[in-house]
Amino acid sequence: MYSENLVWPKDLIDLRGLSAFHLTAILDAAENFREVSEREIKKVPTLRGKLVVFFFHENSTRTRLSFEVAAKRLSADTLSLSSSGSSMAKGETLLDTAKNIEAMSPDALVIRHSASGAAQFLGDRLSCPVLNAGDGAHAHPTQALLDLLTIRRHKGRIQGLKVAIIGDIAHSRVARSNMIGLSALGAQVRVAGPPSMMVGGLDDEYGVKVFSRPEPALEGADVIIMLRIQLERQSGQLFPGAREYARVYGLNPRRLSLAHPEAIVLHPGPVNQGVEMSPQVYQCPQSVILDQVSNGVAVRMALLYLLVDNPERHKA
Amino acid sequence: MYSENLVWPKDLIDLRGLSAFHLTAILDAAENFREVSEREIKKVPTLRGKLVVFFFHENSTRTRLSFEVAAKRLSADTLSLSSSGSSMAKGETLLDTAKNIEAMSPDALVIRHSASGAAQFLGDRLSCPVLNAGDGAHAHPTQALLDLLTIRRHKGRIQGLKVAIIGDIAHSRVARSNMIGLSALGAQVRVAGPPSMMVGGLDDEYGVKVFSRPEPALEGADVIIMLRIQLERQSGQLFPGAREYARVYGLNPRRLSLAHPEAIVLHPGPVNQGVEMSPQVYQCPQSVILDQVSNGVAVRMALLYLLVDNPERHKA
Amino acid sequence: MYSENLVWPKDLIDLRGLSAFHLTAILDAAENFREVSEREIKKVPTLRGKLVVFFFHENSTRTRLSFEVAAKRLSADTLSLSSSGSSMAKGETLLDTAKNIEAMSPDALVIRHSASGAAQFLGDRLSCPVLNAGDGAHAHPTQALLDLLTIRRHKGRIQGLKVAIIGDIAHSRVARSNMIGLSALGAQVRVAGPPSMMVGGLDDEYGVKVFSRPEPALEGADVIIMLRIQLERQSGQLFPGAREYARVYGLNPRRLSLAHPEAIVLHPGPVNQGVEMSPQVYQCPQSVILDQVSNGVAVRMALLYLLVDNPERHKA
């Protein structure tokens, strides 16, 4: 399915602009790169002499690490820039900082930012490829792609699968990117969450089925994606409704039993055990959360390869 | 003009010790390294196996990034050490920390520090090359060198140019290093700034013309260097006189029109738009601020090459 | 003495599990790696394509830098993860974070943590080698090994040496690891410290002689290891008894004269001059504190080489 003839956009901002062919090509490339991380020498010279700059304005462990591992396994040089310790602290605007980075001739800029639209904003104004590592509640395309890869590896396909996404749909860039990617590849997506974490129009906008309670969404599901509750945004306190949330929306063995017996459970991490899911579910064989992490490196290698390695490919 | 026979000092502390031949040799080497950043594979093996340690005690985006990019493009290994998270937080002195770094056999130490004289202090006590990335109000030689390269590339020469430096002369290491470098290469330097940002004796010490108002300094200037107002040192508040400063000293189209029609505008960045210069000037074709950034990488590659690569060169 | 036939444990948690043969083999390997840091090109391809992750939950300059230099001189890729800026700040547990790192297929994890037992805990649960860079008051095996190397290089042997360890024995992981390593290699260890910094049973547990005053411990000593007083844990104030501590336990020329005339003085750094030792002692020729730093790089290269390079070696 992978086609050398596909034309790639300059940037990866969200999954909206990518066809099913593009998505499949990324997953196929990632499949090949998975093998690199299993070698004795986990490194290929693909991006030797290229510079990938990480520009992270929000805390991140796994996304930043995963991108860094991906870049290093491709032999790229990497540089990290966080808001603190940078000129951003001197009141410089995002664009100024980015323009300055660009003047140093990087080969790609990976950005995470709390503002929706930040990645697009830079992509439109910089000549180098911009990869969105999460912007506000807008998009987190590499997370969705690693979820797609994880699903395809476990289920052999995406087409026709019943996928339940449970949690804070309204504020989740992971949910948004997954709804786009899963729908594009032919999955049937159902979403469920508390009224305060849901927005109207999802059915029209993304072609998903919307439920207020998790049970009907889980019914017969092949794949369950549990979203993270941002407890740390509740001033460090377990937010008052955490126990209530767990009781009504948390994935426990009883709810899991509503799904297909071979359903797999995903979560973007880090998991709040006892909130989004019970420890039993977290540790059960159906949980593929650490596979997601491994697949994240492969997906990011694929994207860096496709967007950075071969500039002639980008005609868009 | 570049001469293999020049003897180089061990350290780069300020530009005072460097002859016009040395300065020109650095610019010539930087000119060659600019080309590396324009290649498909932006890397040369010059410093393979060498270790460059960055020891930054003040916030910095562009200087640190620029040095890191420069070191990586020369294939050096790099290590970063900031004050926070280091033993400095345990009350260790600067010299103790530096001696400990030295015991790990680095090939160069790049230091930024808030205290004037910190770079010299370490250079005198360490056996490895020490490169000053800015020390207090004393010197910022790599900034001055990248300004010189930017000027030479745009004007074809330094000799005989009229250069206006406007702003907080008293507290600016950028101004000091530029006054030395520009004078050494035969430019006519004029400085202007508010009385509270000026010190006496600059004419005698640096051979520059001193003005209290910007207009006479700008008159017929070929090059305008606007200095940064340290707004963030005013406890995060726009200091009361920011508007007043902009009105009297800020570079706007009207003031710019006093200079030579092909005058170029430099700024060490980050620019406070609306303070040091108006947005129109910032974005006009005469503004070469992003060229400065690109040239910064080339100048730092040249310096690392000249001071680190070839120890036999250093007889001084 | 170095034997290719030794079986190595997967992890380096403390020195307890290592025989005198193992300890000697590490020192022998380190001796070879010291030479690498003295070359013009300070780099060997031993760990090319391997990924070493640094997972530091406590401030550290020299240990982190030393490990990073060691990894880079072996051509490994490195990644750093500190608690701040990581998912740990999102309430993720140590194990969750470590499992996530593991899912990215690192070749070694180097951990520093304030909790005793943290390194063992991870070593038992991860498949990759875990190297302890200091855990609580439990162990700091690489520090003890670099001390052993420093002693052996200066004294030609460990066996039969009289070694005095002075200071906060109770809270010192450096003291614990040194007592184990020194005893295993046949040194006679004496410890001394204030009653509040001493615990019972050290004589039985480690086979050391315990004194409350430093003088009898120093009497005829070949090696003196002064421990660091954690002044910064006393809320930034010089703790009330610092002067008193210096008077009774600090190493000054008079106390040093009690030791063997060629005794060497070690300290894990950073030294509080005037507290643990006087400036005269710190700077005297018997002080080998910077040698320790150089030897630290060599010891860590040896350990990464022995634990990472050759997985077949690890049958334990």
Side-chain angles (χ1 to χ4, degrees):
Chain A
M1 183 76 90
Y2 178 89
S3 162
E4 285 291 337
N5 300 322
L6 286 175
V7 171
W8 292 89
K10 178 177 80 73
D11 307 311
L12 179 76
I13 305 302
D14 72 9
L15 297 187
R16 233 178 257 278
L18 296 176
S19 69
F21 293 107
H22 287 90
L23 295 174
T24 304
I26 295 167
L27 301 185
D28 291 348
E31 202 68 67
N32 289 331
F33 280 118
R34 259 191 72 96
E35 180 267 324
V36 172
S37 294
E38 289 158 7
R39 294 185 197 168
E40 183 65 18
I41 302 295
K42 308 178 180 69
K43 197 157 183 169
V44 289
T46 315
L47 297 191
R48 222 188 101 60
K50 306 286 189 184
L51 178 66
V52 179
V53 176
F54 299 102
F55 190 28
F56 273 58
H57 293 262
E58 277 191 339
N59 273 353
S60 166
T61 304
R62 68 206 68 200
T63 304
R64 184 181 64 79
L65 269 188
S66 179
F67 259 117
E68 283 207 43
V69 172
K72 284 173 199 284
R73 293 224 165 116
L74 294 168
S75 301
D77 289 315
T78 61
L79 272 182
S80 266
L81 183 63
S82 60
S83 319
S84 67
S86 89
S87 280
M88 299 296 289
K90 292 188 187 174
E92 193 178 31
T93 68
L94 181 67
L95 182 59
D96 280 340
T97 306
K99 280 285 196 186
N100 272 277
I101 296 172
E102 186 184 38
M104 298 179 197
S105 309
D107 296 281
L109 187 67
V110 179
I111 181 172
R112 164 165 288 200
H113 201 281
S114 58
S116 299
Q120 179 79 57
F121 179 81
L122 290 189
D124 290 348
R125 285 159 182 80
L126 300 182
S127 58
C128 74
V130 172
L131 287 84
N132 185 4
D135 65 326
H138 170 240
H140 195 348
T142 62
Q143 177 70 42
L145 285 163
L146 73 88
D147 290 345
L148 290 172
L149 180 61
T150 305
I151 295 168
R152 201 180 73 167
R153 285 179 61 84
H154 280 273
K155 295 294 166 195
R157 65 191 167 105
I158 309 284
Q159 175 73 39
L161 292 181
K162 298 185 182 75
V163 181
I165 306 178
I166 315 283
D168 184 356
I169 308 291
H171 306 100
S172 173
R173 56 197 178 204
V174 176
R176 277 192 181 68
S177 288
N178 262 314
M179 289 188 287
I180 297 167
L182 286 162
S183 298
L185 291 178
Q188 301 170 27
V189 182
R190 305 118 165 228
V191 302
S196 65
M197 296 175 170
M198 198 58 84
V199 285
L202 292 175
D203 39 1
D204 286 350
E205 189 173 355
Y206 298 97
V208 302
K209 283 190 197 159
V210 180
F211 300 93
S212 57
R213 294 195 54 98
E215 287 78 5
L218 291 168
E219 190 76 43
D222 301 292
V223 176
I224 304 168
I225 300 176
M226 299 304 296
L227 300 176
R228 179 174 163 76
I229 296 296
Q230 304 290 339
L231 297 180
E232 75 278 11
R233 296 194 185 159
Q234 326 289 333
S235 33
Q237 300 281 332
L238 206 68
F239 75 110
R243 189 171 304 173
E244 178 72 6
Y245 181 87
R247 200 178 57 75
V248 183
Y249 293 94
L251 193 63
N252 52 31
R254 182 177 55 77
R255 283 206 183 93
L256 178 54
S257 72
L258 298 172
H260 188 285
E262 291 179 5
I264 55 173
V265 178
L266 289 79
H267 188 292
V271 174
N272 297 301
Q273 291 188 48
V275 184
E276 295 108 49
M277 66 183 70
S278 67
Q280 301 99 294
V281 170
Y282 180 63
Q283 288 153 21
C284 80
Q286 291 169 262
S287 160
V288 297
I289 295 170
L290 292 177
D291 284 356
Q292 290 175 270
V293 178
S294 303
N295 290 329
V297 174
V299 154
R300 289 167 182 124
M301 290 176 79
L303 290 165
L304 287 171
Y305 163 71
L306 290 167
L307 298 188
V308 178
D309 179 42
N310 188 352
E312 290 93 78
R313 239 192 251 115
H314 312 129
K315 313 282 163 52
Chain B
M1 184 74 92
Y2 178 89
S3 161
E4 285 292 337
N5 300 322
L6 285 175
V7 171
W8 291 89
K10 178 177 79 72
D11 307 310
L12 179 76
I13 304 302
D14 71 10
L15 298 187
R16 233 179 256 277
L18 296 177
S19 69
F21 293 107
H22 287 91
L23 295 174
T24 304
I26 295 167
L27 301 185
D28 291 348
E31 201 70 67
N32 289 331
F33 281 118
R34 261 190 71 97
E35 180 268 323
V36 172
S37 293
E38 288 159 6
R39 294 185 196 168
E40 184 65 18
I41 303 296
K42 307 178 180 70
K43 197 157 183 170
V44 289
T46 316
L47 296 191
R48 221 189 102 59
K50 305 287 189 182
L51 177 66
V52 179
V53 176
F54 299 102
F55 191 28
F56 273 58
H57 292 261
E58 278 191 338
N59 274 352
S60 168
T61 302
R62 74 207 63 202
T63 304
R64 184 182 64 79
L65 269 188
S66 178
F67 260 117
E68 282 207 42
V69 172
K72 284 174 199 282
R73 293 223 165 117
L74 293 169
S75 300
D77 289 316
T78 61
L79 272 181
S80 265
L81 183 62
S82 60
S83 319
S84 67
S86 89
S87 281
M88 299 297 290
K90 293 187 186 175
E92 193 177 32
T93 67
L94 180 67
L95 181 60
D96 280 340
T97 305
K99 280 285 196 185
N100 272 279
I101 295 172
E102 185 185 37
M104 298 179 196
S105 308
D107 296 282
L109 186 67
V110 178
I111 182 172
R112 164 165 288 199
H113 201 280
S114 58
S116 297
Q120 179 80 57
F121 179 80
L122 291 189
D124 290 348
R125 284 159 184 79
L126 301 181
S127 59
C128 74
V130 172
L131 287 83
N132 185 3
D135 65 326
H138 170 240
H140 195 348
T142 61
Q143 177 70 43
L145 284 163
L146 73 87
D147 290 345
L148 291 173
L149 181 61
T150 304
I151 295 167
R152 201 180 73 168
R153 286 180 59 84
H154 280 273
K155 295 293 166 193
R157 66 195 165 101
I158 308 285
Q159 174 74 38
L161 292 180
K162 297 186 184 76
V163 182
I165 306 178
I166 314 282
D168 184 355
I169 308 292
H171 306 101
S172 173
R173 55 197 178 205
V174 175
R176 277 192 181 68
S177 288
N178 262 313
M179 289 190 286
I180 297 167
L182 286 162
S183 298
L185 291 178
Q188 300 170 28
V189 183
R190 304 121 163 223
V191 302
S196 66
M197 296 176 170
M198 198 57 84
V199 285
L202 292 175
D203 39 1
D204 286 349
E205 189 173 355
Y206 298 97
V208 302
K209 283 191 197 158
V210 180
F211 301 93
S212 56
R213 294 193 54 98
E215 286 78 5
L218 291 167
E219 189 75 45
D222 301 291
V223 176
I224 305 168
I225 299 176
M226 298 305 294
L227 300 176
R228 178 174 164 77
I229 295 297
Q230 304 289 337
L231 296 179
E232 76 278 10
R233 295 193 186 159
Q234 327 288 335
S235 32
Q237 299 283 331
L238 206 70
F239 76 110
R243 189 171 303 173
E244 178 73 6
Y245 181 87
R247 200 177 57 74
V248 182
Y249 293 93
L251 193 63
N252 52 31
R254 183 176 54 78
R255 283 205 183 93
L256 177 55
S257 72
L258 299 173
H260 187 286
E262 290 178 6
I264 56 173
V265 177
L266 290 81
H267 187 293
V271 175
N272 296 300
Q273 291 188 48
V275 183
E276 295 108 49
M277 65 183 71
S278 67
Q280 301 100 296
V281 170
Y282 180 64
Q283 288 155 20
C284 79
Q286 291 170 262
S287 159
V288 297
I289 296 170
L290 292 177
D291 283 357
Q292 289 174 272
V293 177
S294 303
N295 289 329
V297 174
V299 154
R300 289 166 182 126
M301 289 176 80
L303 290 164
L304 288 170
Y305 163 70
L306 290 167
L307 298 188
V308 178
D309 180 42
N310 187 353
E312 290 93 78
R313 239 192 249 116
H314 313 127
K315 313 282 162 52
Chain C
M1 182 76 88
Y2 177 88
S3 162
E4 285 292 338
N5 300 322
L6 286 175
V7 171
W8 291 89
K10 178 176 80 73
D11 307 310
L12 178 77
I13 304 302
D14 71 9
L15 298 187
R16 233 179 257 276
L18 297 176
S19 70
F21 293 107
H22 286 91
L23 296 174
T24 304
I26 295 167
L27 301 185
D28 290 349
E31 201 70 67
N32 290 330
F33 281 118
R34 258 191 72 97
E35 179 268 323
V36 172
S37 294
E38 289 159 6
R39 293 184 197 168
E40 183 66 19
I41 302 296
K42 308 180 180 70
K43 197 158 183 170
V44 289
T46 315
L47 297 191
R48 222 189 99 61
K50 305 287 188 182
L51 178 66
V52 179
V53 176
F54 300 102
F55 191 28
F56 273 57
H57 293 261
E58 279 192 336
N59 274 352
S60 168
T61 304
R62 74 209 61 203
T63 304
R64 184 181 64 78
L65 268 189
S66 178
F67 260 116
E68 283 206 43
V69 171
K72 284 174 198 284
R73 292 222 166 118
L74 294 168
S75 300
D77 289 315
T78 60
L79 272 181
S80 265
L81 183 62
S82 60
S83 319
S84 68
S86 90
S87 281
M88 299 296 290
K90 292 188 188 173
E92 193 178 31
T93 67
L94 181 67
L95 182 60
D96 281 340
T97 306
K99 280 285 195 185
N100 272 278
I101 296 172
E102 186 185 37
M104 298 180 197
S105 308
D107 295 281
L109 187 67
V110 179
I111 181 173
R112 164 166 288 200
H113 201 281
S114 58
S116 297
Q120 180 78 58
F121 179 81
L122 291 189
D124 290 348
R125 284 159 183 80
L126 301 181
S127 59
C128 74
V130 172
L131 287 85
N132 184 4
D135 65 325
H138 169 241
H140 195 348
T142 61
Q143 176 70 43
L145 285 163
L146 73 86
D147 290 346
L148 291 173
L149 181 60
T150 305
I151 296 168
R152 200 180 73 168
R153 286 179 60 84
H154 279 274
K155 295 293 167 192
R157 64 192 168 103
I158 309 285
Q159 175 74 38
L161 292 181
K162 298 185 183 75
V163 181
I165 306 178
I166 314 283
D168 184 356
I169 308 293
H171 305 101
S172 173
R173 56 197 178 204
V174 175
R176 276 190 183 69
S177 288
N178 262 313
M179 289 189 287
I180 296 167
L182 286 162
S183 299
L185 291 178
Q188 302 170 27
V189 182
R190 303 120 165 224
V191 303
S196 66
M197 296 176 170
M198 198 57 85
V199 286
L202 292 176
D203 39 1
D204 285 349
E205 189 173 355
Y206 298 97
V208 302
K209 282 190 197 161
V210 180
F211 301 93
S212 57
R213 295 194 54 98
E215 287 79 4
L218 292 167
E219 189 77 43
D222 301 291
V223 176
I224 304 167
I225 300 176
M226 299 305 294
L227 300 176
R228 179 174 163 76
I229 295 296
Q230 304 290 337
L231 296 180
E232 74 278 10
R233 296 195 185 157
Q234 327 286 335
S235 32
Q237 299 283 330
L238 205 68
F239 76 111
R243 189 172 301 175
E244 178 73 6
Y245 180 87
R247 200 176 58 74
V248 183
Y249 293 93
L251 193 63
N252 52 33
R254 182 178 54 78
R255 282 205 184 94
L256 177 55
S257 72
L258 299 172
H260 188 285
E262 291 178 4
I264 55 173
V265 178
L266 290 79
H267 187 293
V271 175
N272 296 299
Q273 291 187 48
V275 184
E276 295 108 48
M277 65 183 71
S278 66
Q280 301 101 295
V281 170
Y282 180 64
Q283 288 153 20
C284 80
Q286 291 168 261
S287 160
V288 297
I289 295 171
L290 293 176
D291 283 357
Q292 289 175 271
V293 178
S294 303
N295 290 328
V297 174
V299 155
R300 290 168 181 125
M301 289 176 80
L303 289 164
L304 288 170
Y305 163 70
L306 289 166
L307 297 188
V308 177
D309 180 42
N310 188 352
E312 290 93 77
R313 237 191 251 118
H314 313 127
K315 313 284 162 53

